[in-house]
Each structure stands twice: as structure tokens, then as C-alpha cells.
Amino acid sequence: MAGSHSHGCCGHGHGHDLKEFNVRQALMPIVAAAILFLIGFVFYQPLHNTPFAIAEYAVLLPAYFISGKQVLTTAGRNILKGRVFDENFLMAIATLGAIAIHEVPEAVAVMLFFQVGELFQDYSVGRSRHSIKALLEVRPDIANLKVDGVIRAVSPEIVNVGDIIVVRPGEKVPLDGDVLGGTSLVDTSALTGESVPRTITVGQPVLGGMMNQSGVLTVKVTKRFGESSIAKILDLVENASSKKADTEKFITRFARYYTPAVVFLSLAMAILPPLFMAGATQAVWTYRALVLLVISCPCGLVISIPLGYFGGVGGAAKRGILVKGSKFLDALAQVKTVVFDKTGTLTQGNFRVTDVVTHNGWSKQQLLELAAQAEAQSNHPVAQSIRQAYGQSIDVTDIQDYEEISGHGIRAKVKGSTILAGNDRLLHREQIAHDVCVVDGTVAHVAVDGEYSGRIIIADELKEDAVEAIRLLHCQGLETAMLTGDSQSVADSIANTLGLDQYHAKLLPEDKVDALEEFLHRANQTKGKVAFVGDGINDAPVIARADVGMAMGGLGSDAAIETADVVIMTDAPSKVAEAIQIAQKTLRIVWQNITLAMVIKLFFIALGAMGVATLWEAVFADVGVALLAILNAGRVLKS
């Protein structure tokens, strides 16, 4: 996932295609080459008078070509494509050079041990893919389409919006839809990381990829497969490698210059000392040059760094955090300030009416009816809570000239009367006299034909882990802030309860972007980054503007999946701190691998140049570095 390399070591091309790694198939050529190598090594005698020893042809050369076939063919293909200086070329030229100076066993050993290293490497890659593979396995295979009472199994891709499907116990929900009949427990762990099954009943939405556990569900499809939440997530997971981290790009650029430099340095080592140093022989310095080539192969770097990021993205996915690419892990690791939206992010977003205060002779029921009629066509949580409190059906034919005033409220004509329902800013904008501006809780003021009629008080509860989320971020030394369009009194109460460092209230959508710009400007001065956490619907512009945009409860929101860099599938704000922790650990491991590889390689290059290290040590150094780096990268999954 995160950052595959275009020409993986030995031409395996470690793009993360998520195919099963077949150990037996990979072992067969290694075992065959190893048997031939042992036979040849026992009987091989480097007789200088008989350079064409039978063992070279009969046993060792076949062993060389069996173990080195992949390297040699990939090097040849790359040369034809104009990519001369890569790790395959280094291995090929070093081993062919060893054969030319009659060090055939060492040439075979280089290829053989290299293949053993590749085997471990592929196995490690396969293991680290497991988390992502588990996420991809939520792709449903069939949909039970119900037409005229007859059920038939079809591909989810041919089911249309409005079709009726049946989901039996033990089956995956194939598409997004609303439950028409049945009650069941559904397992959402593959999507959200939540281990506790959720009860679903008539009228509730279900998402493609959920696992139905107990009852039969009849579902009306609301989205085609290609537009469903799961299809979008699968697409993100499979294409995240296109968004490479700066560290990965650096290594790709580094290898582009490093490899030819090593080749020319080795060439100089083979040619120059015999010309200018007394007693220096061509054979000795050619051998040292070949040792340098093998030691210098950058396979450990080329594979372990993308694998480190891949492990980080996989480890996050296992915890219900979808990171859209390794570059966002890099950005997360540098976050110094986390800015939250309030509604639906720090709070439940489940508004309920707690009080109705009337003016000018209106009754509480009349005021609720007026507000419900005005809010009849709004999807805002406040509007939904007012309609729920009213509890009766609304005749929308009575409503005319409906207008939603962004950041203020709603204006509508109901049975000839102009009704305003919204916040205190709306009353001031329309110059409507009212007795109170500051109210504890979220408030919807109502005015009829320019006269104040009363207000409806609405409460929203904090999420269970909101306090813990802020505490964890403070423990990491991060600054926390909140931006909300709600009243100052509500913002004061929530900020004090949570212990936020900063907060801004009464913000219009465009004001939120301006407020975030201030945080970004301050963070740039300290070379830190700013993350914004929102619900992904109303906050899309702010999510897009932040260094790292994070969306809560993104599975239910197309806007979240489209706009955010990181989607918190579990809707839990405490996951923000967990995401940052995973990113920091990933970056630490990546730089540990870079340092480890460079230090060990420089050490052995020096030994090779002095003639202390042979090709045997060279291949152990190269394969050893790759294996250590891979094992280290695997730690991210366990974070």
C-alpha cells in the first residue's frame, strides 16, 4: 500500500498487489540451487592450470543461473529500457565479474543468499499486508437480488438504486442501503475496527462490507456499488501508494545518484590502483571492486522504507484509522496543533430539545410547530431534533420560499406568514428585537412576520472519550483548539470541561477557514503542522485547507471520504492521538532503517576497499541489512 517501489529488489517489483505469497513455490528454485551449490563446492578445486574445471560447467554454473535467473533477466530488461544503474545491475555485474576471475562458488553464494534474503523479505511483506488484506476482504462477492418474490444471486455491480436485496446470516452486506425488514446483529469490525456487534433494525442504514450475524435483513439499495462507502474505501486503500512520503521520494532520488556513483567508484578501484600503486595486481583490485559492488546494493533501503510506511498504514487500518497515503503519515508525525470542530466531532451530534421559551402569546406547541415547519427541509442536526420534538407529520405543501441562510438559520413562508428560525446572529441581521442574546446551550430563535416569538433550547452531549482524547493529545505535548459556529456560552462550557487550550465560537463556515489560517501561520513559524478534525460534511473547506484533514464517522459521509487525508472509522476522537502516535513511530522506524543501512554499508565498504571483506561477507552484509530493516519495519504493525 504505502509506497511501493517501481523496481523492487531483484525485480520482484514489490508493488502491494495483495496476492498470497506462496512459500513452497518460492523455495523450490532456492533448494535446487543450494543442492547443486553444495555438490559443486565439495568437488570444486580452483586449479589455476585448469581454469575450465568440470564442476564450473556441470554443477556451479547451473546453480548460478537457477538462483540468479530473476536478477539477470530483470537487469537485462532494465538495460533495454534505459534503466542501467539499479540494484539488479549491481548484482549481475558483480557476480559475472566473479565468474570471470574464476571465483564461481562466491558468485553462486551471492545469488543464493540473496534469494534467501528475498524469500524472508517477501514473507515479511506478506505478513505486513495482512491488515490491509483484511480490509480488502470486506469486498462482497454476491448480492441476493429479490425480484417479484424470487431471490437470485447476482454480482453487486449490476444491482441498481431502489432494488431490494436479502442478506442472510453469515453473509456480507453487499451494498449501502436502508433496512426494510428484519432485525440483526452486524459485525462492523472490518470497516470500523469496533469489536462489539451493532444491532440493526427497520429504518436504519447498513453499509456494504458489514457482516450480518444473526437475522435475515431485507434492504433497499440506496447507492450503486461503485458509489458505495466500501467501494470508495477499497479504491483509497488500493491507490494510496501513489501518495508517497517525502522520505520515500528522497530515497528514490538518492538511489538514482547513489547506484551509478558506486559503479564508477568500483570501476576506478579495479583500474587505478594497479596503474599507480607498486605491487598492486589487477586480480586483487578487481575482486575488491566486485566486493564493493555487492556491499553497495541498496536493496535494504529500497524495500524497508516503503515497507515501513506500508506497515504504518496497515497498523492504522487495523485500529480503524484509514490513512490515504504514506505522505499523510509523514505530515501526521509533524503535527503540533490539533483543531476540532464541535458538533459531531467532540459531541454526539444527537441534539434533543430540552426547553421551549415562548413570547408574545404563542404556546410551546405552536412554537414547536412553527419551527418544525420552517426546518422541514433541513438536514441539520438541530432541525432534526426540532422535528423529532414536534413529533407530528408536516405538510410541506404549506411551505413556500424556503431559504437556508448559511451560518444563520432559515427563512420560509408558511401559510402566508414569514417564519425565521436560527441563531442570535439571524435576529440581529433581520433587526428583530429580542430580550436575550446569551443562552446556555444551543438555541433556535423563532420569529413570525418580524416579531420575536420565542426560542427552543437544544442540548448536545459530549462523546464518551472526548475528555480522554484531549488528555492524550496534551500528554503528547500537542496544542488543542476548537472552532464552532455555536454560541459563546456553549463553547465556554465545552472548552472548560475538556481543558482545551484555545477555542473560537460563533463562527460562520468562512470564518472557520480564516481561524484555521491563523493556526497554520503560527505553526509554519515553528515548522509544525496543523490537523483539523471535523465531521466531513459542513467542514469540507477547513478539512481541505489543513495540513492534515481528519474526518470523523467518515463511513456515513461521502464528503469525509473525498476530502479528508485521514478517516477515523470509529467516530472516536481519541483515535486522533492514536493516529499521531502510529505516524511518529513509523517515521522513527523509517529513519532507523536508513541509518542502520548506511552505517553498516559504509563499514563494510571500508573493509572491502582494504581487502578485509570478501564476497561472502559482502552478501551477508547486504542480505543482513535488508532482513534487519524488514524486521524493524514489521514492528509498526504491532504498535
Side-chain angles (χ1 to χ4, degrees), residues 368-378 383-384 386-399 414-415:
L368 270 176
E369 183 179 3
L370 289 170
Q373 287 172 325
E375 303 271 16
Q377 297 177 62
S378 172
Q384 292 171 353
I386 290 171
R387 292 199 300 270
Q388 189 176 3
Y390 176 55
Q392 297 178 37
S393 60
I394 299 166
D395 187 356
V396 291
T397 57
D398 292 339
I399 304 162
V414 180
K415 296 178 182 176

Side-chain angles (χ1 to χ4, degrees), residues 129-318:
R129 284 177 185 167
H130 183 73
S131 300
I132 306 300
K133 189 166 181 291
L135 187 64
L136 294 187
E137 279 177 348
V138 301
R139 181 189 292 277
D141 301 318
I142 62 155
N144 298 316
L145 182 62
K146 188 175 183 179
V147 182
D148 298 328
V150 179
I151 297 172
R152 59 192 180 93
V154 299
S155 166
E157 292 172 8
I158 69 166
V159 178
N160 294 312
V161 173
D163 284 351
I164 306 298
I165 58 172
V166 175
V167 188
R168 302 183 182 98
E171 292 181 343
K172 289 175 193 151
V173 177
L175 299 126
D176 293 8
D178 294 325
V179 177
L180 294 181
T183 300
S184 181
L185 287 173
V186 294
D187 179 1
T188 65
S189 58
L191 296 176
T192 66
E194 289 178 298
S195 57
V196 180
R198 191 183 300 172
T199 301
I200 295 288
T201 188
V202 176
Q204 292 184 302
V206 288
L207 299 174
M210 290 178 172
M211 179 66 77
N212 186 20
Q213 289 189 331
S214 56
V216 177
L217 294 175
T218 304
V219 177
K220 183 177 182 179
V221 176
T222 55
K223 288 181 185 173
R224 289 198 57 126
F225 181 77
E227 298 163 359
S228 65
S229 301
I230 187 61
K232 290 182 179 180
I233 290 168
L234 293 172
D235 181 63
L236 289 173
V237 170
E238 290 168 331
N239 294 303
S241 59
S242 61
K243 295 173 179 172
K244 282 192 174 185
D246 290 340
T247 318
E248 285 183 279
K249 290 176 184 173
F250 159 72
I251 290 301
T252 306
R253 290 195 301 271
F254 172 77
R256 199 176 297 150
Y257 297 105
Y258 167 83
T259 310
V262 165
V263 171
F264 289 119
L265 183 63
S266 301
L267 195 63
M269 185 180 284
I271 295 170
L272 298 179
L275 294 178
F276 298 105
M277 289 171 60
T281 63
Q282 188 73 56
V284 168
W285 284 96
T286 299
Y287 183 80
R288 290 185 184 182
L290 296 175
V291 171
L292 176 63
L293 279 177
V294 177
I295 292 173
S296 303
C297 180
C299 292
L301 281 175
V302 166
I303 245 318
S304 66
I305 290 159
L307 182 61
Y309 282 111
F310 182 62
V313 173
K318 200 161 68 173

Side-chain angles (χ1 to χ4, degrees), residues 64 88-101 103 106-107 110-111 286-287 289-295 615:
Y64 171 77
N88 299 289
F89 177 79
L90 285 181
M91 297 298 297
I93 202 79
T95 52
L96 290 171
I99 291 171
I101 61 170
E103 299 290 352
E106 296 193 8
V110 167
M111 287 299 193
T286 299
Y287 183 80
L290 296 175
V291 171
L292 176 63
L293 279 177
V294 177
I295 292 173
L615 273 177

Side-chain angles (χ1 to χ4, degrees), residues 208-537:
M210 290 178 172
M211 179 66 77
N212 186 20
Q213 289 189 331
S214 56
V216 177
L217 294 175
T218 304
V219 177
K220 183 177 182 179
V221 176
T222 55
K223 288 181 185 173
R224 289 198 57 126
F225 181 77
E227 298 163 359
S228 65
S229 301
I230 187 61
K232 290 182 179 180
I233 290 168
L234 293 172
D235 181 63
L236 289 173
V237 170
E238 290 168 331
N239 294 303
S241 59
S242 61
K243 295 173 179 172
K244 282 192 174 185
D246 290 340
T247 318
E248 285 183 279
K249 290 176 184 173
F250 159 72
I251 290 301
T252 306
R253 290 195 301 271
F254 172 77
R256 199 176 297 150
Y257 297 105
Y258 167 83
T259 310
V262 165
V263 171
F264 289 119
L265 183 63
S266 301
L267 195 63
M269 185 180 284
I271 295 170
L272 298 179
L275 294 178
F276 298 105
M277 289 171 60
T281 63
Q282 188 73 56
V284 168
W285 284 96
T286 299
Y287 183 80
R288 290 185 184 182
L290 296 175
V291 171
L292 176 63
L293 279 177
V294 177
I295 292 173
S296 303
C297 180
C299 292
L301 281 175
V302 166
I303 245 318
S304 66
I305 290 159
L307 182 61
Y309 282 111
F310 182 62
V313 173
K318 200 161 68 173
R319 291 161 178 78
I321 304 162
L322 179 63
V323 182
K324 292 188 184 178
S326 50
K327 76 174 185 180
F328 301 121
L329 276 178
D330 259 8
L332 265 176
Q334 298 168 53
V335 165
K336 299 293 180 210
T337 306
V338 180
V339 183
F340 290 90
D341 172 48
K342 180 184 75 72
T343 307
T345 304
L346 291 171
T347 64
Q348 300 277 7
N350 298 328
F351 288 93
R352 57 187 177 82
V353 173
T354 57
D355 195 14
V356 179
V357 180
T358 61
H359 281 254
N360 296 319
W362 295 94
S363 71
K364 290 186 178 184
Q365 189 61 25
Q366 285 174 321
L367 196 69
L368 270 176
E369 183 179 3
L370 289 170
Q373 287 172 325
E375 303 271 16
Q377 297 177 62
S378 172
N379 288 321
H380 194 280
V382 168
Q384 292 171 353
S385 68
I386 290 171
R387 292 199 300 270
Q388 189 176 3
Y390 176 55
Q392 297 178 37
S393 60
I394 299 166
D395 187 356
V396 291
T397 57
D398 292 339
I399 304 162
Q400 298 169 324
D401 300 336
Y402 175 87
E403 181 191 359
E404 203 157 315
I405 304 165
S406 180
H408 291 77
I410 285 162
R411 179 193 285 116
K413 264 196 174 170
V414 180
K415 296 178 182 176
S417 296
T418 300
I419 298 175
L420 294 171
N423 55 28
D424 186 61
R425 283 194 300 266
L426 180 64
L427 299 180
H428 286 283
R429 171 185 156 147
E430 301 295 326
Q431 297 181 342
I432 293 169
H434 53 293
D435 62 336
V436 62
C437 291
V438 178
V439 180
D440 286 338
T442 300
V443 63
H445 294 281
V446 182
V448 180
D449 292 330
E451 186 178 62
Y452 188 60
S453 304
R455 58 186 172 272
I456 298 168
I457 314 297
I458 295 144
D460 185 14
E461 295 174 309
L462 282 172
K463 286 187 177 174
E464 287 179 14
D465 66 334
V467 174
E468 177 70 1
I470 303 304
R471 188 190 69 78
L472 288 171
L473 291 169
H474 284 159
C475 286
Q476 292 177 6
L478 304 181
E479 182 185 22
T480 58
M482 178 180 73
L483 304 179
T484 178
D486 219 328
S487 67
Q488 189 68 45
S489 61
V490 170
D492 290 343
S493 171
I494 286 176
N496 291 332
T497 303
L498 296 177
L500 294 165
D501 297 314
Q502 289 188 60
Y503 58 99
H504 299 276
K506 297 164 58 173
L507 298 176
L508 297 171
E510 57 268 29
D511 296 334
K512 285 188 179 182
V513 177
D514 293 339
L516 186 73
E517 290 286 356
E518 290 179 29
F519 286 110
L520 289 166
H521 178 68
R522 283 208 304 273
N524 285 340
Q525 292 175 336
T526 57
K527 296 191 175 175
K529 293 198 181 294
V530 176
F532 180 83
V533 191
D535 62 2
I537 302 167

